[in-house]
Amino acid sequence: MIRNPILPGFNPDPSIVRVGDDYYIATSTFEWFPGVQIHHSTDLANWTLVARPLARADLLDMRGDPDSCGVWAPCLTYANGLFHLVYTDVKRYGRTTTGGASGASLRDFHNYLVTAPSIDGPWSDRVYLNSSGFDPSLFTDEDGRQYVSNMLWDHRPGRNRFAGIVLQEYDATVRALVGERHLIFKGTELGLTEAPHIYRRDGYYYLLTAEGGTGWNHAVTMARSRTLTGPYELHPDRYILTARNRPDAPLQRAGHADLVEAPDGTPWLAYLCGRPLPNRGRCVMGRETAIQPMRWGDDGWLYTLAGDAMPVLAVEHDAAPPEPRQERTRFDTPQLPIDFQWLRTPEPDRIFSLTARPGHLRLYGRETIGSVFEQALVARRQQAFCYTAQTRIEVAPAHFQQMAGLVCYYNGTKFHYLYVSHDDAIGRHLAVMSALPDSPQADAFTAPIAIPDGAIELGVEVDFERLRFRYRCEGDADWTWLPQLFDASILSDEASAPGMANFTGAFVGVAAQDMAGTAMPADVAWFDYREREYAA
């Protein structure tokens, strides 16, 4: 049985490829480093995170990239004995056509290509492709020639910002795009045309795109042509997968898809989706990845099995049962455990160490939480509506500009942060800072709670939109709950000031700040993450 989403939590913009009996899915990571997540499976049901290839400064440096910028929509393909990975690094998002948004419509995005003989690398130096738009995709034709397609961004007033899909040949010998750029598809009236992928089958070139934006109107559009540069005719149903007109669907926001063929010839569609909170309608886990089998009709067009273009929660399929997840992470290896990431910087030694104190993750307090340059925040994805997380931290802040603790984080404008700090009046204390994206008060602090010196355990319980913190000082047998109930639904794409980019998902982890610039250390002994049923 396949249960969707197959990649729960923040795993958007899937690109899928099969090499022999192995399937790989690459997903976007935005400002989280290293860039691009790659999962592996042999049965399409059970997926294991195996690589994040953009792990070197010469491949990716996102310092200064705004929230929800950085790595957008990777495309993973395989040809000529090499994996090919193309991706966008977005440097400026701007504010566009959203009501109430301020700022200009100019954007900066740069598209690159890297290759490797194995999914484990080594990955080549990056090749610069273009900056004309985002969501680049590589297509290798039957004659071996290669082409890059991407959406075209048009900033001019009165124009369609998403101006269509452009195509240009890539020459691997000169490591550059060559020849004329062709506008091959202008999209449908749904608009926001992006995420192109091209396939060849039975004499046709098939073009898959995403339209309607990555929210509730999201859809997968298909078109085809006898020639690569078009003209492309639309699928008779236009949209081969969407939940845009079905508010009852448990998987919403379905779109941004990629197609792969199984050894038995079955076409499978991997696509982006979101699971809204039952009460709030917000997708706290961000955009996730689902998959389902499709069928080619007698007319040569692609359809869902039921012919209704609907995403499905479960698929009957031979697969082994999933393995139980390990709840406790111990920091006893020289590399950060693969479930965890940090933000933007390709110089992790400046924000944490796994060797300075063996068996611990040592954070070095840097800039403020929410900094787009250098902040010490290490976290993992929230992957279920209900979970418990807790950690043990040793930190000795000397003043109010130093702090460290447990954080539930979406981005610099959306988080709940249970931190240990110090001030002259109360001494060492515990408090919560919340960044509230849809409140007149941008940030809020709870009253400080005095705590003794020594190690402290910090915990959080999340049940759908409800979030509560607790703590236990060294020597205490029982946990102490903070009295406040926090809103977990703000850690979502939908909670936002007008015009902001919101494309990631909720994380939970640890952080440290030292706004005095003295790099205060904070030592984390372990981190627990346990998914569970709803706790009344």
Side-chain angles (χ1 to χ4, degrees):
M1 178 70 73
I2 294 176
R3 299 189 183 278
N4 280 321
I6 51 169
L7 305 183
F10 160 51
N11 279 289
D13 311 327
S15 173
I16 188 168
V17 64
R18 178 175 65 85
V19 181
D21 294 327
D22 296 294
Y23 296 90
Y24 300 95
I25 289 180
T27 53
S28 299
T29 43
F30 294 85
E31 67 264 36
W32 291 91
F33 199 96
V36 180
Q37 294 220 118
I38 298 180
H39 285 78
H40 167 257
S41 177
T42 56
D43 61 9
L44 296 172
N46 297 290
W47 294 85
T48 302
L49 179 60
V50 294
R52 291 196 187 100
L54 305 183
R56 309 193 312 260
D58 60 313
L59 299 183
L60 184 66
D61 187 343
M62 297 184 289
R63 285 173 288 194
D65 287 10
D67 287 337
S68 282
C69 292
V71 176
W72 286 16
C75 171
L76 182 67
T77 56
Y78 186 82
N80 305 318
L82 290 174
F83 286 96
H84 294 70
L85 180 69
V86 294
Y87 61 97
T88 305
D89 182 6
V90 180
K91 296 300 185 185
R92 184 179 192 271
Y93 179 76
R95 309 264 181 107
T96 53
T97 55
T98 304
S102 61
S105 61
L106 299 171
R107 292 186 179 182
D108 294 303
F109 14 58
H110 308 306
N111 296 319
Y112 301 98
L113 163 69
V114 293
T115 61
S118 165
I119 208 69
D120 301 318
W123 292 88
S124 68
D125 295 339
R126 69 183 184 184
V127 175
Y128 170 75
L129 297 173
N130 64 28
S131 300
S132 60
F134 51 87
D135 293 1
S137 178
L138 181 71
F139 166 67
T140 302
D141 208 343
E142 293 174 351
D143 60 4
R145 296 172 70 180
Q146 295 182 304
Y147 301 85
V148 170
S149 59
N150 58 268
M151 66 78 65
L152 179 67
W153 182 256
D154 190 340
H155 67 275
R156 294 173 295 178
R159 300 298 183 107
N160 180 3
R161 301 270 194 260
F162 290 70
I165 304 302
V166 291
L167 179 86
Q168 193 169 0
E169 187 171 359
Y170 173 72
D171 188 335
T173 59
V174 298
R175 294 165 55 88
L177 296 179
V178 296
E180 182 182 355
R181 186 179 80 182
H182 301 272
L183 179 64
I184 64 171
F185 184 64
K186 292 185 177 180
T188 74
E189 66 277 4
L190 190 56
L192 303 172
T193 307
E194 57 189 345
H197 291 296
I198 297 173
Y199 319 90
R200 191 163 185 179
R201 180 180 185 271
D202 292 345
Y204 281 102
Y205 293 94
Y206 287 85
L207 173 65
L208 212 60
T209 62
E211 294 194 293
T214 196
W216 308 113
N217 278 329
H218 213 190
V220 182
T221 304
M222 176 171 267
R224 71 183 181 187
S225 172
R226 291 289 187 183
T227 59
L228 182 58
T229 55
Y232 282 81
E233 61 171 324
L234 283 169
H235 191 287
D237 297 334
R238 296 203 170 200
Y239 315 115
I240 64 168
L241 190 82
T242 184
R244 58 191 299 268
N245 296 317
R246 292 291 298 271
D248 61 317
L251 298 181
Q252 289 289 327
R253 306 172 65 179
H256 201 120
D258 194 10
L259 193 62
V260 69
E261 185 176 281
D264 66 359
T266 302
W268 288 81
L269 194 71
Y271 57 92
L272 174 162
C273 68
R275 291 178 289 170
L277 285 166
N279 291 343
R280 298 293 184 97
R282 291 173 169 175
C283 299
V284 293
M285 286 172 287
R287 299 173 302 154
E288 306 172 284
T289 286
I291 196 168
Q292 66 191 67
M294 306 287 283
R295 61 179 175 84
W296 291 104
D298 293 337
D299 57 0
W301 288 107
L302 193 67
Y303 297 90
T304 59
L305 297 187
D308 56 3
M310 283 289 291
V312 298
L313 270 177
V315 177
E316 289 291 340
H317 186 68
D318 289 337
E323 295 183 2
R325 295 180 181 176
Q326 182 177 343
E327 293 181 5
R328 174 158 293 187
T329 298
R330 297 190 181 276
F331 301 103
D332 52 6
T333 61
Q335 289 82 36
L336 191 68
I338 197 167
D339 284 341
F340 289 80
Q341 286 183 273
W342 63 96
L343 289 161
R344 294 183 175 86
T345 178
E347 298 181 358
D349 290 348
R350 285 187 50 80
I351 61 172
F352 68 83
S353 172
L354 289 150
T355 57
R357 183 180 176 186
H360 292 74
L361 168 65
R362 172 163 289 181
L363 301 174
Y364 298 108
R366 294 295 180 186
E367 295 176 340
T368 58
I369 189 167
S371 167
V372 297
F373 287 91
E374 189 175 62
Q375 61 157 312
L377 190 154
V378 174
R380 57 150 300 140
R381 285 156 175 75
Q382 175 182 342
Q383 295 182 286
F385 285 120
C386 303
Y387 74 89
T388 298
Q390 54 197 42
T391 189
R392 177 183 172 90
I393 295 181
E394 295 179 53
V395 61
H399 50 73
F400 72 95
Q401 289 183 312
Q402 296 178 333
M403 58 187 70
L406 174 67
V407 64
C408 297
Y409 184 90
Y410 182 98
N411 64 22
T413 67
K414 297 183 270 194
F415 58 81
H416 296 296
Y417 182 25
L418 175 64
Y419 65 87
V420 177
S421 189
H422 187 283
D423 66 28
D424 295 337
I426 197 171
R428 191 172 189 251
H429 65 268
L430 196 66
V432 175
M433 176 186 181
S434 295
L436 307 171
D438 50 4
S439 169
Q441 184 178 6
D443 55 22
F445 292 82
T446 61
I449 300 169
I451 56 173
D453 292 339
I456 187 170
E457 293 181 17
L458 306 175
V460 65
E461 301 273 355
V462 172
D463 288 279
F464 295 94
E465 73 270 24
R466 299 188 330 199
L467 186 153
R468 294 188 68 190
F469 285 116
R470 61 184 182 177
Y471 68 96
R472 182 165 60 187
C473 296
E474 196 161 24
D476 291 349
D478 298 321
W479 290 89
T480 300
W481 289 93
L482 272 66
Q484 296 87 358
L485 183 66
F486 299 93
D487 182 5
S489 82
I490 68 164
L491 308 176
S492 64
D493 297 357
E494 293 81 10
S496 176
M500 299 291 288
N502 297 277
F503 301 134
T504 56
F507 281 68
V508 59
V510 290
Q513 294 76 42
D514 187 342
M515 282 84 81
T518 57
M520 174 203 69
D523 290 341
V524 181
W526 44 259
F527 191 92
D528 288 350
Y529 172 84
R530 179 173 61 88
E531 298 173 1
R532 53 171 174 74
E533 297 299 317
Y534 170 71

